[in-house]
Amino acid sequence: MKKIFLFLAMILSTSSLATDWGGQPGTIERIWFYGDTIIVLHSAPPYAGTAGCNNNQKFSFKLSELGSDSQQNRVFSWLIAANTAKSKFKPLFDSTACGPENAKKFLGKFEAY
């Protein structure tokens, strides 16, 4: 399972413009799935992000905003693998917009630790 997670981390990790790497690494504590909307409770300390979202441990996104079906499936699979393996990671957030429920907007990319 950890090998799969590390492989996915290498595929999905990138540096981008207009992004926020300011949060701390942590594990997934809980995931809520509401149709296209996914909300994740991250074990990292509370962080509002540079977009000024809620100052808490949640990040969120709409799966349909991540691009192709293939990319959506990769992120979905990665979330399940990271949750199961309790692997530490640092998510990449949008620096100018918040996601659903005013949580930090996850861009589908991360750094594994």
Side-chain angles (χ1 to χ4, degrees), residues 59-71:
F59 62 83
S60 64
F61 62 102
K62 291 198 174 286
L63 199 56
S64 61
E65 293 178 357
L66 296 181
S68 69
D69 286 346
S70 176
Q71 178 67 10

Side-chain angles (χ1 to χ4, degrees), residues 12-78:
L12 297 175
S13 293
T14 63
S15 296
S16 303
L17 297 175
T19 56
D20 176 7
W21 284 107
Q24 297 297 311
T27 60
I28 293 176
E29 296 292 318
R30 188 160 186 198
I31 305 173
W32 293 273
F33 299 99
Y34 299 107
D36 187 40
T37 299
I38 298 176
I39 300 167
V40 178
L41 179 62
H42 196 230
S43 70
Y47 177 65
T50 57
C53 306
N54 287 339
N55 188 22
N56 59 29
Q57 294 172 285
K58 292 181 182 176
F59 62 83
S60 64
F61 62 102
K62 291 198 174 286
L63 199 56
S64 61
E65 293 178 357
L66 296 181
S68 69
D69 286 346
S70 176
Q71 178 67 10
Q72 292 173 29
N73 289 337
R74 279 188 209 116
V75 171
F76 186 81
S77 296
W78 164 76

